[in-house]
Structures are given as structure tokens and as C-alpha cells.
Amino acid sequence: MKTFLKHLLIDFAIVFGNIFLSHGAIWLGYNVIIFLQIKMEHLMILLMFALQISINILLYKTLFKKFFSFAEQKKPVFYLLLPITPYVIWAVVFRVSFLAGYTFSIETYLQLLISFMPLIPITLIPLVIAYCLCLYKYVGEAYYVYTLSFFGVTVIPITILLCAITLG
């Protein structure tokens, strides 16, 4: 039980750390662009994501390689199911919160991040627990941690785009 909790906390910390690292870097980069009045917004955003990916690779190669458990038996169904499941759960959580009257502050990017923060743990915690309990032995811990990290990094821009398309 102690090992399970240790893995659960570290996995969740990695996912949440990736979310804050990437979105914080984008927010910081965007403010630098505005301050310097540079017209390279797309390049800057790509550089911020590249920074996040390189930091993750460095962390994996130095610290987490010995910590992560590998797949005991590989099941391709679970490899395909994991990238889809978080987005489906996010869509349900987002719609239910919107229908329940939860308001999203979209005046600034930082306010938007803060208003999405209660929804992200509601989506991520059950997935991390489910994969930690029974499915990591089929896909490996590193795969599900980084897949959920990718979900956390992309869900906010995807939601903003879908809302803009739907409303506009």
C-alpha cells in the first residue's frame, strides 16, 4: 500500500507539474512577446512546448527511469484506449459543470487556467488511480503518465478552440 501511494503521488505530481510547466511557459512566453512586440507568437509557443518536452526527457533519463515500472505484458487495446479516455471524461465533466452553472473566467489566460483547475483534477484523479491500480502492468507506468501529461497540456487549448468554433 505504501508503494502504491508513493507511485500514485509521484505520477500525479508529474502530470500536474507538466500542466503548470507548459501553460506557465506559454503564459510567460506570451507576455515576453507582448513586452518585446515580436510577431513570432507561433514560433514562441512551439519553443515553449519543445522546452517542456526536453525537460521531460531529461527528467526521465536522469531520475524517473529507475522509478517507473514497465509493462509486464503488453495489451495494445489499453495503449489505444488511454489517449481517448481522458478527452471523453473531460468533455463530460466540462459539459456537466457548464450545465450546473460553473462560470469560466476567460478575460486573461491566467484566469482561464485558474477557472479550469478544479475540473482537471476531477478528470485526472480517477484515471491515475485506475491506471495505477490495474492497468499500468499492461502499458507501463511511463506511458500512462506521459499520455495523461499530454492530455493536461493540450486540453485547455483544444477546449478554447472548440468553444470558439461552437460559439462563433
Side-chain angles (χ1 to χ4, degrees):
M1 184 67 172
K2 193 175 189 180
T3 307
F4 167 73
L5 286 176
K6 180 180 174 187
H7 278 264
L8 182 69
L9 288 174
I10 290 177
D11 294 347
F12 193 73
I14 291 169
V15 172
F16 238 66
N18 280 327
I19 292 169
F20 283 115
L21 175 67
S22 66
H23 289 291
I26 288 172
W27 179 74
L28 182 66
Y30 183 73
N31 285 325
V32 167
I33 288 170
I34 289 173
F35 178 72
L36 297 176
Q37 298 178 348
I38 302 173
K39 300 290 182 201
M40 299 174 26
E41 294 155 351
H42 299 294
L43 180 64
M44 192 64 149
I45 289 172
L46 287 175
L47 288 173
M48 294 302 161
F49 278 120
L51 174 70
Q52 185 228 359
I53 290 169
S54 60
I55 288 172
N56 274 298
I57 291 170
L58 182 68
L59 282 173
Y60 176 74
K61 292 287 186 187
T62 57
L63 299 173
F64 297 124
K65 194 173 187 177
K66 295 174 186 168
F67 176 77
F68 283 140
S69 55
F70 296 98
E72 297 168 8
Q73 47 183 321
K74 295 184 179 195
K75 300 247 178 159
V77 172
F78 295 121
Y79 282 98
L80 297 174
L81 187 63
L82 181 60
I84 297 166
T85 307
Y87 292 100
V88 171
I89 293 174
W90 171 260
V92 170
V93 167
F94 184 74
R95 290 286 181 203
V96 167
S97 66
F98 185 72
L99 292 173
Y102 184 78
T103 56
F104 299 100
S105 177
I106 55 172
E107 293 172 14
T108 66
Y109 193 74
L110 188 60
Q111 288 174 338
L112 179 73
L113 287 175
I114 292 169
S115 65
F116 275 169
M117 273 306 124
L119 303 181
I120 291 174
I122 292 170
T123 306
L124 285 177
I125 290 172
L127 284 168
V128 172
I129 291 172
Y131 269 81
C132 238
L133 280 174
C134 55
L135 298 176
Y136 76 91
K137 57 186 152 202
Y138 301 117
V139 296
E141 197 171 12
Y143 177 77
Y144 90 82
V145 166
Y146 286 113
T147 303
L148 291 179
S149 294
F150 185 75
F151 159 76
V153 168
T154 59
V155 72
I156 294 172
I158 288 172
T159 305
I160 293 170
L161 288 173
L162 289 177
C163 288
I165 290 169
T166 306
L167 298 174

